[in-house]
C-alpha cells in the first residue's frame, strides 16, 4: 500500500524540504507519495507547521498522525478537529544543537561581561576579571530535549547547573529538582536563568514578581522558550530595580515584537527575533521519515505529545 504524506507548511517551505524529505523517505524503503497538494481523504500522515493553511483536520478521514515540524505545539494542541496522535520535533543534530549553541553563546556573553569591552566607546581600561564558571550558578527551567542538552554543555564548561522539570530527573552532575516545590529551590540564588519550558496553562508567567525575587540580585534572564513564560510587567520592574541586570529575549507574547514594545528600547534588554534555534530540513526530514517508518511497521511513534500535559 502506498503511504500518502501531505506537506502542510507555508508554500515556500516545500522547496527547502522536498529533496531532504524525499531522500529520507527513500531510505526507509516505504512505497510513498508526498506533496503539498493532496486530496485530504487520501492522506495518511501530515508533516505539519502550525502556520500552514491546514487548520481543520476533519476532511482527513484516514489520517494516522500529524508530525509537527516545530518543537512547540501550543498552536496545534487545542485544535478540536485533531483527533489523531501528534508528534513534536526532537532533532539532536539540528534543532537541539542550534539551541545549545545559542544558549551557550548568550550565557557566556553575560558570564564574561563581554559587552563591557565590545561596547566601550570611551576606551575605558577597566581591569576587572570575571569569575570562573564554577562561581556562576545557572538554572534551566525545563529539562526536556533542549534543556537537558544545554544543561550538559553548560555543566561541561564548569557552571553549577540546576534544572527544573515536572517529573523527577537524574542527570550526571546536574542538580535536578521538580514540581512546584522544586521551583523555589531552582531559582533561589541563580545568577543566570534560562527558560526552556513549553507554553502550557501550567507554565504561563512562571517568571513573575515573586519568582524573580528569588534570583540572585543582578541576575540575567535568558528566554528562548516562549513569551508567555514571563510576566512582562514584572520583568520590566525587576530590570528597573536592578533585581535583574539584563534580559535576553528571543520569544514574545506577540511576534514579530511590535515596534512600540518597551523591550526594544530598554537599555538592559536584548531582543533576538525568534532565532534561538530552527528546524533544519536535512536532519528534521530524517526524524520525520523514521517516525513514519516506525508507525508503518507497527512501532510506537517517537516524540508523542501528551494532550493532557499540553506538550
Ligand atoms: P520538551 O522536551 O517537551 O521539554 C519540556 C520540559 O519542560 C520538560 O522537562 C518538562 O518536564 C518541562 N515542563 C513542562 N511543563 C512543566 C511544568 N508545569 N513545570 C515544570 N516543568 C515543566 O520540550 P523541548 O523540545 O525541550 O522544547 C522546549 C520549548 O522550547 C518548546 O516547547 C518551545 O516552546 C521552545 N523552543 C523555542 C525555540 C526558539 O527558537 N526560540 C526553538 C525550539 C523550541 P518533564 O520532563 O517532567 O516532562
Amino acid at each position: 500500500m502506498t503511504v500518502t504524506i501531505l506537506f502542510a507548511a507555508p508554500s515556500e517551505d516545500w522547496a527547502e524540504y522536498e529533496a531532504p524529505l524525499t531522500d529520507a523517505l527513500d531510505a526507509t524503503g516505504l512505497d510513498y507519495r508526498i506533496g503539498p497538494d493532496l486530496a485530504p481523504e487520501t492522506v495518511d500522515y501530515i508533516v505539519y507547521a502550525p502556520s500552514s493553511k491546514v487548520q481543520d483536520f476533519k476532511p482527513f478521514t484516514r489520517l494516522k498522525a500529524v508530525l509537527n515540524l516545530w518543537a512547540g505545539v501550543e498552536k496545534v494542541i487545542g485544535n478540536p478537529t485533531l483527533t489523531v496522535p501528534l508528534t513534536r520535533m526532537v532533532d539532536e543534530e539540528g534543532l537541539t544543537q542550534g539551541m545549545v549553541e545559542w544558549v551557550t553563546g548568550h550565557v557566556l556573553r553575560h558570564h564574561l561581561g563581554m559587552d563591557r569591552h565590545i561596547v566601550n566607546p570611551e576606551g575605558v581600561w577597566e581591569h576587572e576579571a570575571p569569575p570562573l564558571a564554577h562561581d556562576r550558578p545557572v538554572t534551566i527551567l525545563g529539562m526536556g530535549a533542549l534543556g537537558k542538552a544545554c544543561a550538559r554543555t553548560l555543566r561541561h564548561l564548569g557552571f553549577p547547573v540546576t534544572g527544573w522539570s515536572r517529573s523527577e530527573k537524574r542527570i550526571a552532575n546536574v542538580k535536578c529538582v521538580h514540581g512546584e516545590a522544586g521551583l523555589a529551590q531552582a531559582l533561589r540564588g541563580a545568577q543566570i536563568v534560562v527558560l526552556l519550558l513549553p507554553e502550557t496553562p501550567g507554565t504561563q508567567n512562571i517568571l513573575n514578581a515573586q519568582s524573580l525575587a528569588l534570583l540572585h540580585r543582578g541576575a540575567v534572564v535568558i528566554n528562548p522558550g516562549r513569551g508567555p513564560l514571563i510576566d512582562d510587567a514584572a520583568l520590566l520592574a525587576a530590570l528597573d530595580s536592578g533585581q535583574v541586570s539584563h534580559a535576553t529575549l528571543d520569544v514574545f507574547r506577540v511576534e514579530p515584537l511590535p515596534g512600540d514594545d518597551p523591550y526594544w528600547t530598554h537599555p538592559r534588554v536584548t531582543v533576538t527575533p525568534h532565532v534561538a534555534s530552527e528546524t533544519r530540513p536535512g536532519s528534521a526530514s530524517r526524524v520525520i521519515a523514521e517516525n513514519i517508518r516506525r508507525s508503518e511497521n507497527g512501532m510506537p511513534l517517537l516524540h508523542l505529545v501528551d494532550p493532557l500535559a499540553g506538550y
Side-chain angles (χ1 to χ4, degrees):
M1 272 269 280
T2 304
V3 181
T4 302
I5 305 159
L6 176 71
F7 183 81
S11 48
E12 62 273 16
D13 292 1
W14 178 236
E16 266 193 279
Y17 276 91
E18 184 176 5
L21 271 173
T22 304
D23 286 350
L25 286 162
D26 283 351
T28 64
L30 290 170
D31 174 19
Y32 73 92
R33 65 188 180 121
I34 185 166
D37 285 306
L38 297 169
E41 65 279 7
T42 65
V43 170
D44 297 298
Y45 298 94
I46 301 182
V47 178
Y48 190 68
S51 51
S52 130
K53 279 193 299 221
V54 174
Q55 296 297 326
D56 180 4
F57 294 99
K58 282 199 299 291
F60 297 91
T61 47
R62 58 182 265 182
L63 194 61
K64 297 180 186 167
V66 171
L67 309 160
N68 204 42
L69 284 167
W70 305 357
V73 292
E74 72 280 357
K75 290 194 166 72
V76 206
I77 194 127
N79 187 326
T81 67
L82 178 65
T83 53
V84 297
L86 169 69
T87 65
R88 59 199 189 79
M89 181 50 64
V90 176
D91 171 21
E92 255 178 65
E93 261 183 87
L95 195 62
T96 304
Q97 176 63 22
M99 186 60 81
V100 168
E101 292 178 13
W102 189 91
V103 166
T104 306
H106 286 278
V107 165
L108 285 175
R109 167 194 172 194
H110 295 298
H111 167 61
L112 296 173
M114 286 178 176
D115 292 15
R116 258 183 301 154
H117 308 295
I118 294 170
V119 187
N120 187 5
E122 312 292 317
V124 178
W125 182 272
E126 196 186 345
H127 186 88
E128 194 192 323
L132 289 173
H134 62 64
D135 292 322
R136 181 88 68 192
V138 176
T139 285
I140 301 179
L141 302 186
M143 279 280 129
L146 303 177
K148 258 192 273 186
C150 292
R152 289 198 178 104
T153 298
L154 293 172
R155 184 67 202 112
H156 187 69
L157 287 172
F159 293 99
V161 178
T162 301
W164 182 66
S165 52
R166 214 155 58 99
S167 57
E168 195 173 350
K169 298 261 178 298
R170 281 206 186 119
I171 302 169
N173 302 317
V174 173
K175 181 177 168 191
C176 294
V177 294
H178 66 280
E180 224 169 293
L183 181 62
Q185 253 180 301
L187 292 178
R188 195 167 287 121
Q191 291 191 21
I192 298 180
V193 59
V194 180
L195 305 185
L196 277 169
L197 291 162
E199 178 186 340
T200 71
T203 61
Q204 296 225 2
N205 294 325
I206 203 95
L207 270 200
N208 52 39
Q210 212 182 355
S211 51
L212 285 164
L214 296 170
L215 301 175
H216 187 272
R217 187 161 174 81
V220 167
V221 171
I222 299 179
N223 185 16
R226 282 292 183 261
L229 301 176
I230 294 181
D231 173 340
D232 296 311
L235 177 60
L236 287 164
L239 283 157
D240 290 339
S241 74
Q243 171 60 12
V244 171
S245 64
H246 200 100
T248 293
L249 308 173
D250 185 57
V251 284
F252 304 89
R253 283 193 152 73
V254 179
E255 292 181 9
L257 186 64
D260 60 353
D261 193 287
Y263 282 144
W264 279 119
T265 48
H266 199 290
R268 288 188 290 286
V269 174
T270 300
V271 170
T272 63
H274 203 140
V275 292
S277 189
E278 260 195 2
T279 301
R280 310 289 162 156
S283 48
S285 294
R286 291 191 283 279
V287 172
I288 296 279
E290 169 61 4
N291 240 351
I292 294 174
R293 186 196 68 79
R294 287 175 66 94
S295 173
E296 288 302 302
N297 285 286
M299 295 160 77
L301 287 161
L302 299 172
H303 321 310
L304 267 177
V305 170
D306 173 354
L308 287 180
Y311 65 97

